[in-house]
Amino acid sequence: MCGACTVLVDSRPVRSCVTPAAEVDGRAVVTAEGLSPPGTLHPVAGAFAEAGAFQCGYCTPGMVVEAAALLERMPQPDPAAIREALNGHICRCGSYPRILEAVQRAGQAATPAAAPPAPYLPRPASPWDLAAGEEREWFSVLPEGLVVVLDPRPPGPGQWAPSPGAWLHVGGDGHVTAFIGKVEVGQGTRTALTLLAAEELAVAPSSVSLVMGDTDLCPYDEGTFGSLSMPQAGPAIQAVAAAAREELRTLAAGREEAPYGDLVRGLRLVVHARQPRVTPPDSWRVAGRAAGPVGAVDVVTGAKRFATDVHLPGMLHGAVLRAPAAGATLASVDLAAVDAMNGVVAVHEDGFVAVAAPDRLAARRALDGLRASWDRQPSVSGRGVSESLTEYLRTHLSAGEGWDRGFTHEDGDVDAARATADVTLAATYSTAYLAHVPMETRAALAAWEGGRLTVWVGTQRPFAVREALAEAMGVPQTAVRVIVPDTGTGFGGKHRPDVALEAARLARAAGRPVKVRWSSREEFTSSYFRPAAVIDIRTAAAGGALTAWEVTTINAGSPGIGCPYAIPNQRLVSQPAQSPLAQGSYRALAATANHFARESHIDELAHRLGADPVELRLRHLPDPRLTAVLSAAAEAIGWPDGPVGIACGVEKGAYVATAVQIAVTGEGAITVPRLVTAFDAGAVVSPENLARQVEGAAIMGLGGALFEAVTFEDGEICNPSLRQYRVPRFSDVGDVEAILIDRRDVPPAGGGETPILAVAPAIANALFRATGRRVRTMPLA
Ligand code: FES
């Protein structure tokens, strides 16, 4: 259980997901909303908002409720008591340190709550991104005012668009609304982009709203992944806001002090952003400064609406028949039992079998009444990284395609360098399949009206989902609207359209809106994983200098395979394989596995050469930004004293070094009492948000480094629950510190992924330093 659904029953916290309604009959039930009646904030909720103690916010209401109950029992709990009370709650975003701080802070006076969230905007006659500029009826949806348009570059055949567009509206009330195709999954883009728009327009962030990921209203966007939100959407938002500022200045002629609303009231003006002059980071007055997360009050009071929360009158709930194992195909199914049930709709088309019923329990019962048989394929088994899995991947190579296609790069002559070296070293590293474990499981609500389909869904790729829905339903894309409410985490796991398709098919068959919400078990058994990997590294050194570097990474993919060290002879090979389990994107994808191997190996080389691992790295690092983060992390952890380890890397334009101090118990359990991340992602737009991302990524990295691993037999997942698949909890997290290096001379890079990269190798290196034992498999424990 994750604890997100915790409520108070007669002042005692209980998990509502396992509490029968009859059990609370006649008793007082208080939710997070009930703790903060309209116009007020419960002290705990206020402290969470003030400390920014969340990222996606999905776990927050449950945390607030549990913490409120704790403070009732114990008004001033110490950190140990807080950790113990909240240890049953999972924050997959890794906000634990800030939650701890918030609960300690709680007890302050109540403050007024903000207004409830704005409703969705109406539907235009046709999606704006699919209509020519002059055909978009902006003012059928938006009130009078000024609209500034930056059209996205359309993708070429088979390509993704290199950058998104944006548009922005300034209303007669002076409020600014910006539209962007990226989505918010807890990475804080909504806050950072709001600050950039406010900066250009010289208004308070509270005067700016963002519409994100609504395919009827937002410009086309390839998707929210790859730490691209800031590099892509940041400049787009800056451009439209700067163009709006220029247009407003023109409109103001002679009335410089007039509020924006006065300048545009009564107008219906549309202008295109050409090449406006945006504010350089060293002149920022709003961006780059401390600012609370946008929508904090909605999060801490439970008012925030995720896709799982969206309801429509008369809607049904869907449940889908799932294959029992990877590779299993449906041999037969008998729907007779369901066909006889009142109010239940069944669908069987193209191997898709599902039911819809008035509530989730009825849908689940109807599904359980189906008789299905499956054809299963014998396959490999894996307990984390087993020898059989390693062998399987080595002997089932493939050409790969898309993100996992093969890659080869060669510089100099590795073989000649190894032949003449003083020292040669070869080692193999491996990583397990990892599950995303999103706090908000996949969910979609689909509704058909007059041949047009609207789907509310938590996805990282709304426009790709629109395309998939149109193709599967046999309707044009103009007939499909995908709306992405801010989503309870993604981590690369919400790229595919599956849950949206399931809801749309059921809704069409039922003739009523249908919501499909995956269970936590389905997240393990029916989604996809971060790839398992096998990585061979062969290296050489002569005269104390590194002379050869050869890496072959099997199945992980090529991200992060590059070597940042100045080594003259290099051979880099990324070799795809036929994965026995479904696999795909994950936070930083292959870069985590490739950094684990490289940064572990560099330490091994240092040991063989009798060199200090930090000194060896610094001597071979040509990039001053990587040198700077490595030096900062080393200094912060007190290198080289104690059981400490360090690792570094560069990925997606951001530089990271992680240093840890570990403790190893007599039974061999590893804990990490202290973790420091030094991070340089260029100019820092939102320092608080970036620090949250860095801390959260580091905490997520602890799970993959120490204990997370998918276990399977013949394609069947053996640990498909939060009880069996361990993710970091309060008790796993010590002091976590982020050192941000603000490079105002460099455009912002994304910060959501790179800070996870160096966690595992830093711990592996500390483990070697503490025990003399080198572990080359992730997870380490
Ligand atoms: Fe806790 Fe996202 S903020 S799961």
Side-chain angles (χ1 to χ4, degrees):
M1 283 188 286
C2 69
C5 66
T6 301
V7 299
L8 297 177
V9 176
D10 290 342
S11 302
R12 283 194 47 243
V14 302
R15 306 284 192 267
S16 55
C17 69
V18 290
T19 305
E23 216 171 85
V24 298
D25 188 23
R27 300 167 70 189
V29 178
V30 179
T31 63
E33 291 94 326
L35 281 178
S36 299
T40 67
L41 268 185
H42 185 278
V44 174
F48 269 65
E50 204 176 302
F54 56 84
Q55 290 173 50
C56 76
Y58 197 80
C59 71
T60 312
M63 294 273 189
V64 167
V65 166
E66 185 86 51
L70 170 68
L71 293 182
E72 278 293 318
R73 300 193 303 273
M74 193 186 290
Q76 290 188 317
D78 63 16
I82 299 170
R83 284 174 190 275
E84 191 186 334
L86 295 181
N87 206 40
H89 292 249
I90 292 171
C91 176
R92 193 58 170 150
C93 294
S95 299
Y96 298 117
R98 285 166 193 265
I99 294 169
L100 197 62
E101 180 192 333
V103 180
Q104 286 180 293
R105 251 195 223 185
Q108 297 169 358
T111 49
Y120 295 104
L121 289 168
R123 188 163 196 183
S126 180
W128 285 345
D129 75 307
L130 295 177
E134 63 278 7
E135 291 166 9
R136 297 178 199 142
E137 9 65 304
W138 301 102
F139 298 103
S140 72
V141 172
L142 302 170
E144 61 182 2
L146 168 69
V147 169
V148 180
V149 179
L150 177 73
D151 279 313
R153 273 177 282 166
Q159 289 179 344
W160 283 338
S163 72
W167 31 81
L168 179 144
H169 170 255
V170 182
D173 59 359
H175 195 78
V176 177
T177 308
F179 298 80
I180 193 91
K182 298 289 182 199
V183 300
E184 172 63 63
V185 289
Q187 81 280 37
T189 309
R190 183 179 288 283
T191 297
L193 296 179
T194 297
L195 292 177
L196 287 177
E199 173 68 51
E200 295 300 337
L201 283 157
V203 297
S206 57
S207 299
V208 179
S209 302
L210 247 62
V211 175
M212 301 178 77
D214 182 329
T215 60
D216 260 17
L217 304 180
C218 298
Y220 171 86
D221 181 78
E222 60 187 319
T224 301
F225 49 72
S227 288
L228 289 170
S229 289
M230 289 312 292
Q232 291 187 340
I237 288 281
Q238 285 175 298
V240 282
R245 182 194 63 224
E246 289 176 2
E247 186 65 26
L248 289 162
R249 278 206 187 125
T250 305
L251 291 170
R255 292 186 295 158
E256 269 67 28
E257 299 306 316
Y260 288 162
D262 290 359
L263 300 176
V264 300
R265 200 166 300 126
L267 297 183
R268 288 172 164 241
L269 181 60
V270 179
V271 299
H272 279 256
R274 302 295 176 203
Q275 288 186 314
R277 199 182 154 276
V278 301
T279 310
D282 52 12
S283 300
W284 283 346
R285 292 146 302 165
V286 180
R289 294 171 192 268
V294 168
V297 171
D298 291 342
V299 170
V300 301
T301 57
K304 180 168 174 171
R305 292 288 172 259
F306 298 87
T308 37
D309 297 314
V310 183
H311 289 266
L312 285 176
M315 76 177 193
L316 302 178
H317 295 261
V320 179
L321 186 67
R322 305 291 182 192
T329 52
L330 186 65
S332 66
V333 63
D334 181 358
L335 299 178
V338 175
D339 288 340
M341 290 180 182
N342 257 347
V344 177
V345 177
V347 175
H348 180 195
E349 51 187 42
D350 305 331
F352 172 74
V353 178
V355 299
D359 60 66
R360 288 183 82 194
L361 193 58
R364 175 50 52 189
R365 284 196 177 129
L367 198 72
D368 290 345
L370 295 178
R371 290 179 200 287
S373 63
W374 300 87
D375 290 330
R376 292 174 66 154
Q377 306 293 326
S379 182
V380 68
S381 298
R383 180 164 292 279
V385 187
S386 61
E387 272 180 33
S388 58
L389 174 60
T390 305
E391 184 59 24
Y392 184 94
L393 293 174
R394 283 193 190 283
T395 54
H396 289 74
L397 304 179
S398 73
E401 56 184 43
W403 62 267
D404 68 341
R405 65 187 173 278
F407 166 85
T408 304
H409 175 81
E410 194 143 357
D411 275 333
D413 189 336
V414 167
D415 298 326
R418 277 178 61 86
T420 56
D422 310 335
V423 171
T424 58
L425 192 61
T428 295
Y429 306 84
S430 49
T431 65
Y433 288 103
L434 286 195
H436 301 89
V437 195
M439 284 298 287
E440 183 189 23
T441 59
R442 282 163 181 72
L445 168 60
W448 290 87
E449 198 179 346
R452 297 179 84 191
L453 170 66
T454 301
V455 180
W456 289 262
V457 58
T459 176
Q460 294 174 247
R461 300 185 60 207
F463 290 84
V465 170
R466 178 178 73 181
E467 191 178 341
L469 284 166
E471 192 181 329
M473 299 293 117
V475 297
Q477 288 197 53
T478 49
V480 180
R481 181 184 192 178
V482 172
I483 299 173
V484 184
D486 290 1
T487 298
T489 71
F491 307 128
K494 291 180 177 170
H495 284 200
R496 298 190 185 167
D498 28 26
V499 71
L501 292 170
E502 291 160 6
R505 281 175 146 166
L506 280 167
R508 186 166 62 181
R512 292 163 71 174
V514 174
K515 183 194 280 190
V516 175
R517 178 179 179 180
W518 286 24
S519 66
S520 142
R521 181 186 175 86
E522 286 174 304
E523 282 292 338
F524 284 99
T525 58
S526 305
S527 61
Y528 55 93
F529 301 112
R530 190 195 74 180
V534 182
I535 300 168
D536 299 316
I537 299 188
R538 297 164 73 233
T539 50
L546 307 181
T547 55
W549 183 269
E550 179 181 17
V551 56
T552 302
T553 184
I554 301 172
N555 195 52
S558 60
I561 198 174
C563 180
Y565 301 105
I567 303 175
N569 305 291
Q570 298 196 18
R571 184 183 295 139
L572 313 174
V573 178
S574 174
Q575 170 62 58
Q578 299 164 35
S579 170
L581 298 183
Q583 61 181 24
S585 188
Y586 182 95
R587 196 174 201 167
L589 194 58
T592 309
N594 288 326
H595 276 70
F596 170 63
R598 187 192 72 226
E599 290 298 301
S600 296
H601 195 85
I602 284 284
D603 252 50
E604 293 194 56
L605 272 171
H607 182 65
R608 280 289 299 277
L609 294 170
D612 177 277
V614 171
E615 185 275 329
L616 182 73
R617 284 179 172 87
L618 289 173
R619 193 149 43 84
H620 289 82
L621 278 181
D623 191 326
R625 292 176 71 185
L626 197 45
T627 300
V629 291
L630 181 62
S631 302
E635 186 184 340
I637 206 73
W639 184 270
D641 299 331
V644 294
I646 199 162
C648 65
V650 53
E651 179 69 4
K652 299 187 168 79
Y655 296 75
V656 67
T658 300
V660 297
Q661 180 199 327
I662 66 161
V664 185
T665 67
E667 294 79 45
I670 307 165
T671 58
V672 183
R674 188 150 180 251
L675 185 153
V676 180
T677 308
F679 191 56
D680 165 6
V684 179
V685 175
S686 175
E688 285 293 303
N689 184 59
L690 187 59
R692 277 192 290 273
Q693 283 297 299
V694 171
E695 294 161 8
I699 290 168
M700 191 173 188
L702 284 177
L706 291 175
F707 39 71
E708 283 186 48
V710 173
T711 299
F712 58 102
E713 267 179 45
D714 266 344
E716 195 165 333
I717 307 303
C718 304
N719 54 346
S721 73
L722 287 169
R723 205 164 28 81
Q724 297 160 301
Y725 183 98
R726 180 177 164 198
V727 299
R729 292 178 182 258
F730 267 100
S731 50
D732 298 307
V733 178
D735 287 343
V736 176
E737 184 185 338
I739 300 170
L740 303 183
I741 297 178
D742 189 1
R743 290 286 306 256
R744 292 289 172 110
D745 55 329
V746 182
E753 299 185 82
T754 303
I756 200 174
L757 298 180
V759 176
I763 297 172
N765 294 338
L767 184 64
F768 177 76
R769 219 172 156 78
T771 65
R773 188 161 166 242
R774 173 60 62 180
V775 180
R776 300 191 181 90
T777 297
M778 263 177 81
L780 301 162

